[in-house]
């Protein structure tokens, strides 16, 4: 067999497999002169072999290192100790069903020791470990000392109790586990488990509560951003004080506040803050009031949702300004700041004026109210070039013997693609309300529509479908006309003197 070939393939391990054992020979053989000279000759052959060095290293593994030798000896000794231990363990346990392990007394070499569990590490790392003082040494120097001594297992009640107490430090940080007052606390498994259970469910509960709280603030439109804006108004002296919420509507929250002064001009004593909701759900349905309004058309498409909300606030402001100019009774605009509109308060001493829906009026007053509403609708259409588009007994307040119009963010011009349909709906609400409240001279919805718009749509058989068809045809004709000429056709007094619109300005 070629020795050098074998040597090249064998890994270089001190106690790894070595080549086949050399044939044994007797002492006389070793001492023989003849053999000596024979070996000498062979040596000459070996040294001429290029792989010679390698073979020598292989045959006499690292005997040069004292440390290595010592370690190998120690290991051998430890193995014998462990074997002895195993035998003792077997003898100790005998046929008993409950067996006790002597594992901890084994002389394990560091690189062999890797079987300590996570849990054990946690427990031993606990700083204030009440158990530490009594813990048995895991590896006694002289190993196991025999029967008769008390042996503590991991199921021992005291051990377990202390371990459970120490483990409580792993609970969530907000859970108060106390410091044990220096007592040697022992928690039974049952108590520990129910504490742990309680801790988990508490955590879940508090997470749920937190979520709910955040949600409700969003619901009320007063998110931190809005609160900051409101605070700034008070800081700037525009408002003296913000008192409380008057109403939580579909698309806004209205607050009552005490007015201060703005640029040296006094602000009304009592003001209403209309905060447009930044949650968009409601506005989604109301897109058509704004995106088809030619005044806002160009800007609408390139705005993000938050800016669209500001557009609503701005629209309400412009509409109120127009109405005021035409002499329609409505709140005075004080200030517009992003999605918050400040206007004069309709009401007195913190009490808002009642809606027409709520107020109990005498027949006389009801008649007066009707004639006022008719006049307001005509002014709105003919002087302001507006259709309210959400007119009803809910958006008209009764204050100091007068009807006041509010909530005009969705109001559009009559030439809006659906403007006449919106007007018809307004007329139906108004006619129905006053007829029900016993106002005998209240016009029918069709007559009211014509009285307001001056359009003379044929009333005929008083068939709503037919009337609506006429209205839609009118709108269509107008649309075509606008497209051909870029011009409106309805008989309206065109007063488009609104200031330039610009909500992107102060971000
Ligand atoms: P809703 O969905 O209820 O119609 P909205 O979001 O359209 O609410 P508004 O109708 O403008 O908001 O206002 C809601 C309520 O707040 C009104 O019904 C009215 O009672 C009160 N309110 C609004 N503006 C004023 C004001 N200037 N003065 C007094 N009260 C006001
Ligand atoms: Mn309203």
């Amino acid at each position: 067999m070629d020795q050098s070939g074998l040597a090249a393939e064998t890994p270089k391990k001190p106690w790894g497999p070595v080549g086949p054992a050399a044939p044994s020979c007797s002492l006389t053989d070793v001492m023989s002169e003849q053999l000596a000279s024979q070996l000498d000759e062979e040596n000459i052959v070996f040294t001429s072999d290029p792989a010679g060095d390698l073979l020598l290293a292989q045959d006499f593994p690292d005997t040069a290192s004292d440390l290595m030798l010592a370690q190998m000896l120690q290991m051998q000794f430890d193995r014998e100790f462990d074997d002895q231990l195993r035998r003792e363990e077997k003898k100790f346990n005998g046929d008993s069903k409950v067996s006790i392990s002597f594992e901890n007394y084994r002389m394990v070499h560091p690189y062999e020791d890797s079987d300590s569990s996570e849990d054990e590490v946690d427990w031993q790392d606990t700083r204030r470990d009440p158990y530490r003082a009594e813990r048995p040494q895991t590896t006694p120097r002289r190993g196991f000392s025999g029967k008769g001594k008390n042996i503590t297992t991991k199921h021992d009640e005291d051990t377990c109790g202390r371990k459970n107490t120490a483990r409580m430090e792993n609970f969530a940080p907000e859970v108060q586990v106390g410091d044990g007052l220096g007592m040697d606390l022992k928690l039974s498994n049952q108590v520990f488990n129910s504490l742990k259970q309680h801790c988990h469910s508490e955590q879940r509960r508090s997470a749920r509560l937190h979520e709910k709280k955040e949600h409700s603030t969003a619901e009320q439109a007063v998110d931190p951003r809005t609160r900051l804006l409101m605070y700034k108004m008070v800081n700037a002296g525009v408002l003296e004080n913000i008192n409380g919420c008057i109403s939580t509507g579909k698309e806004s929250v209205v607050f009552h506040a005490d007015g201060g002064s703005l640029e040296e001009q006094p602000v009304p004593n009592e003001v209403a803050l209309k905060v447009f909701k930044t949650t968009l759900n409601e506005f989604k349905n109301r897109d058509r009031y704004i995106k088809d309004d030619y005044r806002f058309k160009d800007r609408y498409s390139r705005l993000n949702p938050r800016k669209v909300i500001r557009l609503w606030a701005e629209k309400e402001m412009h509409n109120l300004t127009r109405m005021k100019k035409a002499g329609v009774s409505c709140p005075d605009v004080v200030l517009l700041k992003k999605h918050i509109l400040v206007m004069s308060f309709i009401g007195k001493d913190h009490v808002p004026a009642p809606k027409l829906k709520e107020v109990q009026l005498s027949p006389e007053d009801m008649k007066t109210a009707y004639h006022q509403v008719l006049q307001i609708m005509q002014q709105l259409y003919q002087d302001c070039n507006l259709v309210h588009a959400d007119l009803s007994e809910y958006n008209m307040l009764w204050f100091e013997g007068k009807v006041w119009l509010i909530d005009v963010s969705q109001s559009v011009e009559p030439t809006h693609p659906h403007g006449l349909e919106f007007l018809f709906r307004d007329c139906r609400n108004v006619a129905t309300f006053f007829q029900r409240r016993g106002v005998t001279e209240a016009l029918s919805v069709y007559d009211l529509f014509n009285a307001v718009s001056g359009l003379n749509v044929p009333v005929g058989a008083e068939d709503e479908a037919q009337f609506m068809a006429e209205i839609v045809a009118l709108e269509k004709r107008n649309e075509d006309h606008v497209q051909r000429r870029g011009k409106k056709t309805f008989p309206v007094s065109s007063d488009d003197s609104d200031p330039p619109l610009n909500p992107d300005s102060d971000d």
Side-chain angles (χ1 to χ4, degrees), residues 318-367:
H318 285 301
N319 289 342
L320 283 175
T321 311
R322 261 196 209 189
M323 287 157 68
K324 205 77 213 172
K325 231 189 242 174
V328 175
S329 43
C330 66
D332 294 312
V333 173
V334 173
L335 173 74
L336 172 75
K337 200 82 196 160
K338 298 192 178 177
H339 60 290
I340 304 179
L341 180 65
V342 184
M343 57 186 146
S344 63
F345 179 70
I346 314 297
K348 207 171 184 310
D349 297 335
H350 295 216
V351 183
K355 302 174 179 84
L356 272 190
K357 166 80 184 170
E358 304 160 342
V359 72
Q360 286 293 331
L361 293 183
S362 67
E364 266 313 294
D365 279 345
M366 197 50 99
K367 213 162 84 178

Side-chain angles (χ1 to χ4, degrees), residues 195-210:
L195 278 174
K196 193 167 155 184
Q197 191 70 42
H198 175 74
C199 166
H200 280 317
S201 52
E202 268 305 294
Q203 268 181 296
R204 277 201 300 273
R205 200 176 67 91
S206 89
R208 261 203 317 273
L209 273 181
H210 182 73

Side-chain angles (χ1 to χ4, degrees), residues 296-314:
F296 296 85
K297 217 168 193 162
D298 296 341
R299 293 157 50 200
Y300 184 82
S301 57
R302 59 185 166 85
L303 289 179
N304 69 29
R306 218 160 9 94
K307 289 196 171 159
V308 170
I309 298 298
R310 288 193 214 167
L311 221 51
W312 282 101
E314 192 189 319

Side-chain angles (χ1 to χ4, degrees), residues 246-247 249-252 254 272 274 331 343-346 352 355 394-395 397 406-407:
I246 304 169
S247 137
K250 295 182 296 283
E251 74 257 356
S252 73
V254 181
K274 185 166 177 175
M343 57 186 146
S344 63
F345 179 70
I346 314 297
K355 302 174 179 84
Y394 293 93
N395 282 332
L397 306 181
I406 58 160
D407 198 3

Side-chain angles (χ1 to χ4, degrees), residues 137-160:
Q137 268 189 301
T138 41
T139 45
R141 260 198 324 183
R142 282 269 105 230
F144 173 66
S145 48
K147 215 173 176 177
K149 278 223 168 180
N150 262 349
I151 290 187
T152 314
T153 73
K154 65 174 180 165
H155 302 293
D156 178 77
E157 213 175 303
D158 283 1
T159 314
C160 248

